[in-house]
Amino acid sequence: MRVKIPGWEIVVICSALLFPFTSLCAQEADQPFIHRLGIEARPQYVFPTNPFLQGENERWKPIQSSFAAHLKYSFKYRPNTCADRIYGGAYQGFGLAFTTFGDKKQLGDPMTFYVFQGARIARFHPRLSLNYEWNFGISAGWQPYDNDYNSYNGAVGSRVNAYLNAGIYLNWSLSRYFDFIIGGDFTHFSNGNTKFPNAGINTTGAKIGLVYNFNREEADLTKSLVHPYVPRFPRHISYDLVLFGSWRRKGVYVGEKQIASPGSYPVAGFNFAPMYNLNYKFRFGISLDGVYDGSANVYTEDALVEYDAGSGSSRRKFLVPGIQHQLALGLSGRAEYVMPFFTIGVGLGTNVLGRGDLRGLYQVFALKINVTRSSFLHIGYNLQNFQTPNYLMLGLGFRFNNKYPKVRH
């Protein structure tokens, strides 16, 4: 049986990733950016987090390593400017990567498109610094689980998966044009519970690369004796309203075995968060979180089975409870790290109203991509009790009473 590639999933997420760069390009004419092109090699160790990776696969050999080659474009504010001083030499851009696990038949050799951002953690010398970087994107070309052709693969359930990466590295400016980078990172691949199974793949390892700076000047590599003026930040409370939706698959335990639902369930919700803007790079607050999860509290009954003509076998019927068992309202504490164009947020909360599956603690990880001064795209992920994947949060947000200063250069 051939698995159909969900092309609309690719369109939704890629559109969210590409949209902000249309506005970035329009701003380049009046902002002093340095444009850069980089290549990276990333040899990685694969964590044996499930039986398939441990060796219970077609070859009966553990999958322990991977290798990725990256091509990246980025732009950054020039050194010794106001924006550089505030954001620590922040840079951002998009990249393309090819990854192999040495087992194309069972896992595939995925291609990944992603956006990324990084900045300086510490400067040891005008030419040497310790930096961090995160990547977020979408990867395609996986060989997912298939009951007939790839039944061992319990790690990857879809041809399209989310890609998350974070790392630190040393950046050494060799010359006016070239930077050498070396460091380490951590990578996570999964489908956000939109398909089943969703064990995911986690890797860690080294990153080694070379970056070419197209229009960097020699003066950019020296320490300036004049510090640019940084306007005082007006502390204030802003209000974020996020409307989101997604879809998810569900697994229900019957005895010690987990049975996958035959279809996907809709998810929709909102977040309303008053946020105290402390300074240029940090804000925190409390969020009111409402959600409708169409998969919450679904169940099976041993006596109820139905015949699946497609596979020629019987399967359990999933029963959906009343809507009152699928609605929840919670409160969460939120903290956000604010950078040019992107904001990274985390949250920890509990549902005040909710039944069954919707009880307990939940955690939120979110990326906000600025569209206008008062709106942003929202790409988030919700976990339960720090371990159980819940659902994606794809949506649009609006910010009210935004008094954040405009930093041009």
Side-chain angles (χ1 to χ4, degrees):
M1 180 178 68
R2 187 176 181 181
V3 181
K4 184 179 179 181
I5 300 176
W8 59 277
E9 296 180 13
I10 302 176
V11 171
V12 170
I13 300 180
C14 284
S15 297
L17 296 177
L18 281 172
F19 188 86
F21 287 100
T22 59
S23 61
L24 302 187
C25 293
Q27 297 175 36
E28 289 182 6
D30 58 2
Q31 292 194 12
F33 292 131
I34 295 176
H35 300 271
R36 303 152 21 114
L37 190 65
I39 54 173
E40 289 181 14
R42 300 185 187 180
Q44 303 277 290
Y45 166 74
V46 178
F47 289 101
T49 52
N50 55 74
F52 171 73
L53 299 175
Q54 294 166 5
E56 294 183 21
N57 52 53
E58 188 178 88
R59 300 193 305 168
W60 291 105
K61 293 182 179 180
I63 298 173
Q64 299 177 319
S65 62
S66 69
F67 179 82
H70 292 247
L71 178 66
K72 302 162 66 177
Y73 163 78
S74 64
F75 61 95
K76 62 181 294 185
Y77 293 106
R78 290 192 180 279
N80 307 320
T81 60
C82 177
D84 173 76
R85 187 177 176 186
I86 292 173
Y87 299 114
Y91 61 91
Q92 47 278 313
F94 54 87
L96 187 67
F98 169 80
T99 304
T100 180
F101 296 89
D103 195 335
K104 186 175 182 179
K105 182 179 179 181
Q106 294 188 95
L107 275 176
D109 293 331
M111 295 290 295
T112 303
F113 172 77
Y114 59 93
V115 295
F116 64 91
Q117 187 172 64
R120 186 171 58 245
I121 299 174
R123 174 181 281 168
F124 310 113
H125 183 272
R127 290 177 179 263
L128 181 64
S129 63
L130 178 67
N131 294 6
Y132 74 85
E133 182 182 298
W134 58 261
N135 304 170
F136 176 78
I138 187 168
S139 60
W142 295 84
Q143 290 292 342
Y145 168 86
D146 184 276
N147 190 53
D148 298 319
Y149 303 108
N150 199 12
S151 60
Y152 289 103
N153 187 355
V156 178
S158 60
R159 293 188 180 273
V160 178
N161 288 277
Y163 162 78
L164 301 172
N165 173 275
I168 60 174
Y169 65 93
L170 290 171
N171 188 97
W172 180 21
S173 298
L174 302 174
S175 68
R176 170 183 170 183
Y177 294 107
F178 289 100
D179 291 348
F180 173 72
I181 67 170
I182 183 169
D185 64 355
F186 173 83
T187 301
H188 173 71
F189 293 101
S190 72
N191 61 44
N193 238 25
T194 58
K195 295 287 185 179
F196 195 88
N198 183 40
I201 294 179
N202 301 306
T203 70
T204 188
K207 57 185 295 181
I208 304 170
L210 199 64
V211 179
Y212 181 79
N213 298 269
F214 286 94
N215 57 329
R216 188 164 67 183
E217 304 294 338
E218 286 290 348
D220 295 328
L221 300 176
T222 60
K223 186 175 181 180
S224 175
L225 298 177
V226 179
H227 293 290
Y229 170 72
V230 176
R232 181 182 178 184
F233 186 86
R235 295 183 177 182
H236 63 283
I237 296 178
S238 59
Y239 304 87
D240 283 9
L241 174 64
V242 174
L243 305 175
F244 67 86
S246 66
W247 64 100
R248 66 172 298 189
R249 293 290 294 274
K250 184 76 172 185
V252 173
Y253 279 98
V254 179
E256 296 183 355
K257 186 177 181 181
Q258 194 175 39
I259 306 297
S261 64
S264 298
Y265 297 91
V267 176
F270 73 89
N271 307 139
F272 179 72
M275 303 291 288
Y276 180 69
N277 294 255
L278 180 64
N279 53 40
Y280 280 100
K281 297 170 66 175
F282 185 69
R283 64 169 70 106
F284 61 90
I286 297 176
S287 177
L288 177 66
D289 309 318
V291 66
Y292 162 75
D293 183 353
S295 72
N297 298 307
V298 298
Y299 62 99
T300 64
E301 290 185 355
D302 292 342
L304 295 177
V305 296
E306 61 180 2
Y307 187 80
D308 185 358
S311 62
S313 62
S314 63
R315 65 180 182 179
R316 296 182 183 272
K317 184 177 181 180
F318 275 61
L319 304 177
V320 179
I323 193 171
Q324 69 272 18
H325 296 275
Q326 299 178 313
L327 295 172
L329 190 66
L331 290 174
S332 62
R334 298 296 182 102
E336 294 185 347
Y337 182 62
V338 183
M339 293 293 278
F341 313 113
F342 301 102
T343 297
I344 298 174
V346 295
L348 174 63
T350 184
N351 284 321
V352 179
L353 301 175
R355 302 181 181 184
D357 294 349
L358 296 173
R359 293 176 179 173
L361 295 175
Y362 60 87
Q363 299 76 48
V364 176
F365 301 90
L367 174 66
K368 295 179 178 179
I369 306 173
N370 295 343
V371 178
T372 68
R373 183 171 174 79
S374 58
S375 64
F376 53 87
L377 298 176
H378 181 278
I379 304 175
Y381 195 47
N382 185 290
L383 295 173
Q384 187 176 36
N385 296 326
F386 296 97
Q387 59 181 359
T388 305
N390 263 350
Y391 46 80
L392 286 170
M393 304 166 68
L394 307 176
L396 182 63
F398 304 92
R399 181 165 296 126
F400 305 97
N401 195 42
N402 184 13
K403 299 180 181 179
Y404 200 93
K406 294 182 179 180
V407 181
R408 285 292 181 180
H409 50 76

PDB file of all heavy atoms in Angstrom, residues 113-138:
ATOM      1  N   PHE A 113      13.964  21.956   5.071  1.00  0.00           N
ATOM      2  CA  PHE A 113      13.979  23.407   4.885  1.00  0.00           C
ATOM      3  C   PHE A 113      13.648  24.033   6.238  1.00  0.00           C
ATOM      4  O   PHE A 113      12.708  23.617   6.911  1.00  0.00           O
ATOM      5  CB  PHE A 113      12.952  23.851   3.847  1.00  0.00           C
ATOM      6  CG  PHE A 113      12.805  25.349   3.768  1.00  0.00           C
ATOM      7  CD1 PHE A 113      13.754  26.106   3.111  1.00  0.00           C
ATOM      8  CD2 PHE A 113      11.739  26.000   4.374  1.00  0.00           C
ATOM      9  CE1 PHE A 113      13.642  27.484   3.046  1.00  0.00           C
ATOM     10  CE2 PHE A 113      11.619  27.378   4.325  1.00  0.00           C
ATOM     11  CZ  PHE A 113      12.584  28.122   3.655  1.00  0.00           C
ATOM     12  N   TYR A 114      14.417  25.059   6.641  1.00  0.00           N
ATOM     13  CA  TYR A 114      14.215  25.615   7.966  1.00  0.00           C
ATOM     14  C   TYR A 114      14.607  27.087   8.033  1.00  0.00           C
ATOM     15  O   TYR A 114      15.362  27.594   7.193  1.00  0.00           O
ATOM     16  CB  TYR A 114      15.027  24.822   9.002  1.00  0.00           C
ATOM     17  CG  TYR A 114      16.518  24.799   8.765  1.00  0.00           C
ATOM     18  CD1 TYR A 114      17.365  25.730   9.362  1.00  0.00           C
ATOM     19  CD2 TYR A 114      17.089  23.834   7.940  1.00  0.00           C
ATOM     20  CE1 TYR A 114      18.735  25.702   9.152  1.00  0.00           C
ATOM     21  CE2 TYR A 114      18.459  23.793   7.729  1.00  0.00           C
ATOM     22  CZ  TYR A 114      19.276  24.731   8.334  1.00  0.00           C
ATOM     23  OH  TYR A 114      20.634  24.709   8.119  1.00  0.00           O
ATOM     24  N   VAL A 115      14.068  27.766   9.023  1.00  0.00           N
ATOM     25  CA  VAL A 115      14.527  29.106   9.384  1.00  0.00           C
ATOM     26  C   VAL A 115      15.402  28.970  10.618  1.00  0.00           C
ATOM     27  O   VAL A 115      15.298  27.979  11.362  1.00  0.00           O
ATOM     28  CB  VAL A 115      13.356  30.073   9.653  1.00  0.00           C
ATOM     29  CG1 VAL A 115      12.549  30.299   8.391  1.00  0.00           C
ATOM     30  CG2 VAL A 115      12.479  29.574  10.790  1.00  0.00           C
ATOM     31  N   PHE A 116      16.285  29.939  10.829  1.00  0.00           N
ATOM     32  CA  PHE A 116      17.163  29.858  11.983  1.00  0.00           C
ATOM     33  C   PHE A 116      17.525  31.248  12.469  1.00  0.00           C
ATOM     34  O   PHE A 116      17.389  32.246  11.758  1.00  0.00           O
ATOM     35  CB  PHE A 116      18.434  29.062  11.656  1.00  0.00           C
ATOM     36  CG  PHE A 116      19.321  29.680  10.602  1.00  0.00           C
ATOM     37  CD1 PHE A 116      20.340  30.557  10.947  1.00  0.00           C
ATOM     38  CD2 PHE A 116      19.138  29.371   9.261  1.00  0.00           C
ATOM     39  CE1 PHE A 116      21.162  31.115   9.984  1.00  0.00           C
ATOM     40  CE2 PHE A 116      19.955  29.926   8.282  1.00  0.00           C
ATOM     41  CZ  PHE A 116      20.972  30.806   8.646  1.00  0.00           C
ATOM     42  N   GLN A 117      17.987  31.291  13.709  1.00  0.00           N
ATOM     43  CA  GLN A 117      18.463  32.536  14.294  1.00  0.00           C
ATOM     44  C   GLN A 117      19.518  32.218  15.343  1.00  0.00           C
ATOM     45  O   GLN A 117      19.455  31.185  16.019  1.00  0.00           O
ATOM     46  CB  GLN A 117      17.323  33.326  14.935  1.00  0.00           C
ATOM     47  CG  GLN A 117      17.738  34.717  15.414  1.00  0.00           C
ATOM     48  CD  GLN A 117      16.544  35.547  15.867  1.00  0.00           C
ATOM     49  OE1 GLN A 117      15.875  35.201  16.822  1.00  0.00           O
ATOM     50  NE2 GLN A 117      16.281  36.647  15.178  1.00  0.00           N
ATOM     51  N   GLY A 118      20.479  33.095  15.460  1.00  0.00           N
ATOM     52  CA  GLY A 118      21.521  32.931  16.452  1.00  0.00           C
ATOM     53  C   GLY A 118      22.018  34.269  16.937  1.00  0.00           C
ATOM     54  O   GLY A 118      21.697  35.315  16.366  1.00  0.00           O
ATOM     55  N   ALA A 119      22.821  34.249  17.986  1.00  0.00           N
ATOM     56  CA  ALA A 119      23.383  35.481  18.530  1.00  0.00           C
ATOM     57  C   ALA A 119      24.567  35.134  19.423  1.00  0.00           C
ATOM     58  O   ALA A 119      24.850  33.967  19.703  1.00  0.00           O
ATOM     59  CB  ALA A 119      22.334  36.271  19.311  1.00  0.00           C
ATOM     60  N   ARG A 120      25.226  36.161  19.880  1.00  0.00           N
ATOM     61  CA  ARG A 120      26.427  36.008  20.690  1.00  0.00           C
ATOM     62  C   ARG A 120      26.071  35.753  22.156  1.00  0.00           C
ATOM     63  O   ARG A 120      25.210  36.425  22.725  1.00  0.00           O
ATOM     64  CB  ARG A 120      27.263  37.272  20.549  1.00  0.00           C
ATOM     65  CG  ARG A 120      28.617  37.268  21.196  1.00  0.00           C
ATOM     66  CD  ARG A 120      29.413  38.498  20.798  1.00  0.00           C
ATOM     67  NE  ARG A 120      28.741  39.740  21.138  1.00  0.00           N
ATOM     68  CZ  ARG A 120      28.300  40.627  20.241  1.00  0.00           C
ATOM     69  NH1 ARG A 120      28.452  40.387  18.954  1.00  0.00           N
ATOM     70  NH2 ARG A 120      27.714  41.733  20.643  1.00  0.00           N
ATOM     71  N   ILE A 121      26.734  34.772  22.773  1.00  0.00           N
ATOM     72  CA  ILE A 121      26.622  34.537  24.208  1.00  0.00           C
ATOM     73  C   ILE A 121      27.725  35.298  24.943  1.00  0.00           C
ATOM     74  O   ILE A 121      27.483  35.953  25.960  1.00  0.00           O
ATOM     75  CB  ILE A 121      26.718  33.034  24.533  1.00  0.00           C
ATOM     76  CG1 ILE A 121      25.577  32.270  23.860  1.00  0.00           C
ATOM     77  CG2 ILE A 121      26.700  32.802  26.044  1.00  0.00           C
ATOM     78  CD1 ILE A 121      25.690  30.759  24.010  1.00  0.00           C
ATOM     79  N   ALA A 122      28.955  35.200  24.424  1.00  0.00           N
ATOM     80  CA  ALA A 122      30.101  35.873  25.045  1.00  0.00           C
ATOM     81  C   ALA A 122      31.118  36.201  23.960  1.00  0.00           C
ATOM     82  O   ALA A 122      31.265  35.457  22.985  1.00  0.00           O
ATOM     83  CB  ALA A 122      30.736  35.002  26.122  1.00  0.00           C
ATOM     84  N   ARG A 123      31.812  37.314  24.144  1.00  0.00           N
ATOM     85  CA  ARG A 123      32.869  37.716  23.203  1.00  0.00           C
ATOM     86  C   ARG A 123      34.211  37.663  23.930  1.00  0.00           C
ATOM     87  O   ARG A 123      34.400  38.310  24.962  1.00  0.00           O
ATOM     88  CB  ARG A 123      32.609  39.117  22.662  1.00  0.00           C
ATOM     89  CG  ARG A 123      33.735  39.646  21.789  1.00  0.00           C
ATOM     90  CD  ARG A 123      33.435  41.050  21.292  1.00  0.00           C
ATOM     91  NE  ARG A 123      32.512  41.027  20.178  1.00  0.00           N
ATOM     92  CZ  ARG A 123      31.913  42.128  19.708  1.00  0.00           C
ATOM     93  NH1 ARG A 123      32.104  43.295  20.300  1.00  0.00           N
ATOM     94  NH2 ARG A 123      31.092  42.044  18.682  1.00  0.00           N
ATOM     95  N   PHE A 124      35.139  36.861  23.399  1.00  0.00           N
ATOM     96  CA  PHE A 124      36.469  36.733  23.983  1.00  0.00           C
ATOM     97  C   PHE A 124      37.481  37.665  23.321  1.00  0.00           C
ATOM     98  O   PHE A 124      38.510  37.999  23.911  1.00  0.00           O
ATOM     99  CB  PHE A 124      36.958  35.288  23.855  1.00  0.00           C
ATOM    100  CG  PHE A 124      35.954  34.275  24.344  1.00  0.00           C
ATOM    101  CD1 PHE A 124      35.340  33.395  23.468  1.00  0.00           C
ATOM    102  CD2 PHE A 124      35.597  34.222  25.684  1.00  0.00           C
ATOM    103  CE1 PHE A 124      34.419  32.463  23.910  1.00  0.00           C
ATOM    104  CE2 PHE A 124      34.673  33.297  26.144  1.00  0.00           C
ATOM    105  CZ  PHE A 124      34.077  32.411  25.261  1.00  0.00           C
ATOM    106  N   HIS A 125      37.160  38.061  22.084  1.00  0.00           N
ATOM    107  CA  HIS A 125      38.060  38.869  21.271  1.00  0.00           C
ATOM    108  C   HIS A 125      37.203  39.416  20.135  1.00  0.00           C
ATOM    109  O   HIS A 125      36.170  38.824  19.791  1.00  0.00           O
ATOM    110  CB  HIS A 125      39.205  37.982  20.738  1.00  0.00           C
ATOM    111  CG  HIS A 125      40.235  38.727  19.950  1.00  0.00           C
ATOM    112  ND1 HIS A 125      40.128  38.931  18.590  1.00  0.00           N
ATOM    113  CD2 HIS A 125      41.412  39.304  20.332  1.00  0.00           C
ATOM    114  CE1 HIS A 125      41.190  39.609  18.166  1.00  0.00           C
ATOM    115  NE2 HIS A 125      41.978  39.844  19.201  1.00  0.00           N
ATOM    116  N   PRO A 126      37.556  40.556  19.523  1.00  0.00           N
ATOM    117  CA  PRO A 126      36.758  41.045  18.391  1.00  0.00           C
ATOM    118  C   PRO A 126      36.570  40.012  17.273  1.00  0.00           C
ATOM    119  O   PRO A 126      35.597  40.085  16.522  1.00  0.00           O
ATOM    120  CB  PRO A 126      37.563  42.250  17.896  1.00  0.00           C
ATOM    121  CG  PRO A 126      38.237  42.768  19.114  1.00  0.00           C
ATOM    122  CD  PRO A 126      38.588  41.546  19.919  1.00  0.00           C
ATOM    123  N   ARG A 127      37.471  39.014  17.201  1.00  0.00           N
ATOM    124  CA  ARG A 127      37.361  37.996  16.156  1.00  0.00           C
ATOM    125  C   ARG A 127      36.898  36.634  16.676  1.00  0.00           C
ATOM    126  O   ARG A 127      36.753  35.691  15.896  1.00  0.00           O
ATOM    127  CB  ARG A 127      38.707  37.823  15.446  1.00  0.00           C
ATOM    128  CG  ARG A 127      39.115  39.007  14.579  1.00  0.00           C
ATOM    129  CD  ARG A 127      40.493  38.773  13.967  1.00  0.00           C
ATOM    130  NE  ARG A 127      40.891  39.880  13.111  1.00  0.00           N
ATOM    131  CZ  ARG A 127      40.745  39.899  11.784  1.00  0.00           C
ATOM    132  NH1 ARG A 127      40.198  38.858  11.179  1.00  0.00           N
ATOM    133  NH2 ARG A 127      41.138  40.927  11.072  1.00  0.00           N
ATOM    134  N   LEU A 128      36.672  36.481  17.974  1.00  0.00           N
ATOM    135  CA  LEU A 128      36.307  35.190  18.539  1.00  0.00           C
ATOM    136  C   LEU A 128      35.156  35.347  19.531  1.00  0.00           C
ATOM    137  O   LEU A 128      35.243  36.139  20.474  1.00  0.00           O
ATOM    138  CB  LEU A 128      37.506  34.549  19.234  1.00  0.00           C
ATOM    139  CG  LEU A 128      37.268  33.173  19.865  1.00  0.00           C
ATOM    140  CD1 LEU A 128      36.935  32.139  18.789  1.00  0.00           C
ATOM    141  CD2 LEU A 128      38.488  32.731  20.667  1.00  0.00           C
ATOM    142  N   SER A 129      34.086  34.565  19.329  1.00  0.00           N
ATOM    143  CA  SER A 129      32.924  34.647  20.218  1.00  0.00           C
ATOM    144  C   SER A 129      32.298  33.272  20.391  1.00  0.00           C
ATOM    145  O   SER A 129      32.500  32.360  19.569  1.00  0.00           O
ATOM    146  CB  SER A 129      31.886  35.628  19.671  1.00  0.00           C
ATOM    147  OG  SER A 129      31.370  35.178  18.424  1.00  0.00           O
ATOM    148  N   LEU A 130      31.542  33.116  21.470  1.00  0.00           N
ATOM    149  CA  LEU A 130      30.722  31.931  21.714  1.00  0.00           C
ATOM    150  C   LEU A 130      29.288  32.297  21.371  1.00  0.00           C
ATOM    151  O   LEU A 130      28.729  33.238  21.940  1.00  0.00           O
ATOM    152  CB  LEU A 130      30.840  31.491  23.174  1.00  0.00           C
ATOM    153  CG  LEU A 130      29.993  30.277  23.575  1.00  0.00           C
ATOM    154  CD1 LEU A 130      30.486  29.027  22.868  1.00  0.00           C
ATOM    155  CD2 LEU A 130      30.010  30.089  25.091  1.00  0.00           C
ATOM    156  N   ASN A 131      28.666  31.555  20.457  1.00  0.00           N
ATOM    157  CA  ASN A 131      27.327  31.863  19.958  1.00  0.00           C
ATOM    158  C   ASN A 131      26.370  30.704  20.210  1.00  0.00           C
ATOM    159  O   ASN A 131      26.787  29.564  20.416  1.00  0.00           O
ATOM    160  CB  ASN A 131      27.359  32.138  18.448  1.00  0.00           C
ATOM    161  CG  ASN A 131      28.138  33.385  18.098  1.00  0.00           C
ATOM    162  OD1 ASN A 131      28.765  34.003  18.950  1.00  0.00           O
ATOM    163  ND2 ASN A 131      28.118  33.749  16.835  1.00  0.00           N
ATOM    164  N   TYR A 132      25.072  31.005  20.138  1.00  0.00           N
ATOM    165  CA  TYR A 132      24.056  29.964  20.111  1.00  0.00           C
ATOM    166  C   TYR A 132      23.286  30.079  18.799  1.00  0.00           C
ATOM    167  O   TYR A 132      23.318  31.115  18.112  1.00  0.00           O
ATOM    168  CB  TYR A 132      23.080  30.102  21.293  1.00  0.00           C
ATOM    169  CG  TYR A 132      22.100  31.255  21.141  1.00  0.00           C
ATOM    170  CD1 TYR A 132      20.905  31.110  20.427  1.00  0.00           C
ATOM    171  CD2 TYR A 132      22.377  32.497  21.700  1.00  0.00           C
ATOM    172  CE1 TYR A 132      20.021  32.173  20.278  1.00  0.00           C
ATOM    173  CE2 TYR A 132      21.497  33.561  21.560  1.00  0.00           C
ATOM    174  CZ  TYR A 132      20.331  33.392  20.848  1.00  0.00           C
ATOM    175  OH  TYR A 132      19.465  34.445  20.691  1.00  0.00           O
ATOM    176  N   GLU A 133      22.571  29.004  18.437  1.00  0.00           N
ATOM    177  CA  GLU A 133      21.715  29.041  17.245  1.00  0.00           C
ATOM    178  C   GLU A 133      20.599  28.020  17.392  1.00  0.00           C
ATOM    179  O   GLU A 133      20.807  26.930  17.924  1.00  0.00           O
ATOM    180  CB  GLU A 133      22.525  28.738  15.982  1.00  0.00           C
ATOM    181  CG  GLU A 133      21.703  28.808  14.697  1.00  0.00           C
ATOM    182  CD  GLU A 133      22.526  28.461  13.465  1.00  0.00           C
ATOM    183  OE1 GLU A 133      23.509  29.200  13.184  1.00  0.00           O
ATOM    184  OE2 GLU A 133      22.221  27.443  12.797  1.00  0.00           O
ATOM    185  N   TRP A 134      19.393  28.377  16.945  1.00  0.00           N
ATOM    186  CA  TRP A 134      18.295  27.432  16.855  1.00  0.00           C
ATOM    187  C   TRP A 134      17.824  27.341  15.408  1.00  0.00           C
ATOM    188  O   TRP A 134      17.926  28.306  14.645  1.00  0.00           O
ATOM    189  CB  TRP A 134      17.131  27.804  17.783  1.00  0.00           C
ATOM    190  CG  TRP A 134      16.517  29.174  17.569  1.00  0.00           C
ATOM    191  CD1 TRP A 134      16.767  30.298  18.276  1.00  0.00           C
ATOM    192  CD2 TRP A 134      15.561  29.540  16.555  1.00  0.00           C
ATOM    193  NE1 TRP A 134      16.029  31.350  17.791  1.00  0.00           N
ATOM    194  CE2 TRP A 134      15.279  30.908  16.733  1.00  0.00           C
ATOM    195  CE3 TRP A 134      14.924  28.843  15.523  1.00  0.00           C
ATOM    196  CZ2 TRP A 134      14.386  31.597  15.904  1.00  0.00           C
ATOM    197  CZ3 TRP A 134      14.028  29.531  14.702  1.00  0.00           C
ATOM    198  CH2 TRP A 134      13.763  30.883  14.900  1.00  0.00           C
ATOM    199  N   ASN A 135      17.334  26.158  15.042  1.00  0.00           N
ATOM    200  CA  ASN A 135      16.755  25.908  13.719  1.00  0.00           C
ATOM    201  C   ASN A 135      15.341  25.360  13.918  1.00  0.00           C
ATOM    202  O   ASN A 135      15.099  24.575  14.826  1.00  0.00           O
ATOM    203  CB  ASN A 135      17.541  24.860  12.933  1.00  0.00           C
ATOM    204  CG  ASN A 135      19.016  25.173  12.761  1.00  0.00           C
ATOM    205  OD1 ASN A 135      19.768  24.315  12.311  1.00  0.00           O
ATOM    206  ND2 ASN A 135      19.477  26.357  13.141  1.00  0.00           N
ATOM    207  N   PHE A 136      14.429  25.758  13.048  1.00  0.00           N
ATOM    208  CA  PHE A 136      13.081  25.196  13.083  1.00  0.00           C
ATOM    209  C   PHE A 136      12.574  25.079  11.655  1.00  0.00           C
ATOM    210  O   PHE A 136      12.635  26.035  10.885  1.00  0.00           O
ATOM    211  CB  PHE A 136      12.124  26.076  13.889  1.00  0.00           C
ATOM    212  CG  PHE A 136      10.704  25.570  13.860  1.00  0.00           C
ATOM    213  CD1 PHE A 136      10.326  24.499  14.654  1.00  0.00           C
ATOM    214  CD2 PHE A 136       9.765  26.136  13.021  1.00  0.00           C
ATOM    215  CE1 PHE A 136       9.032  24.012  14.614  1.00  0.00           C
ATOM    216  CE2 PHE A 136       8.461  25.658  12.977  1.00  0.00           C
ATOM    217  CZ  PHE A 136       8.100  24.588  13.779  1.00  0.00           C
ATOM    218  N   GLY A 137      12.089  23.888  11.287  1.00  0.00           N
ATOM    219  CA  GLY A 137      11.620  23.729   9.914  1.00  0.00           C
ATOM    220  C   GLY A 137      10.850  22.450   9.706  1.00  0.00           C
ATOM    221  O   GLY A 137      10.301  21.843  10.642  1.00  0.00           O
ATOM    222  N   ILE A 138      10.839  22.025   8.464  1.00  0.00           N
ATOM    223  CA  ILE A 138      10.060  20.861   8.060  1.00  0.00           C
ATOM    224  C   ILE A 138      10.927  19.989   7.166  1.00  0.00           C
ATOM    225  O   ILE A 138      11.663  20.494   6.306  1.00  0.00           O
ATOM    226  CB  ILE A 138       8.764  21.294   7.355  1.00  0.00           C
ATOM    227  CG1 ILE A 138       7.862  20.104   7.093  1.00  0.00           C
ATOM    228  CG2 ILE A 138       9.047  22.070   6.076  1.00  0.00           C
ATOM    229  CD1 ILE A 138       6.458  20.498   6.662  1.00  0.00           C
TER     230      ILE A 138
END
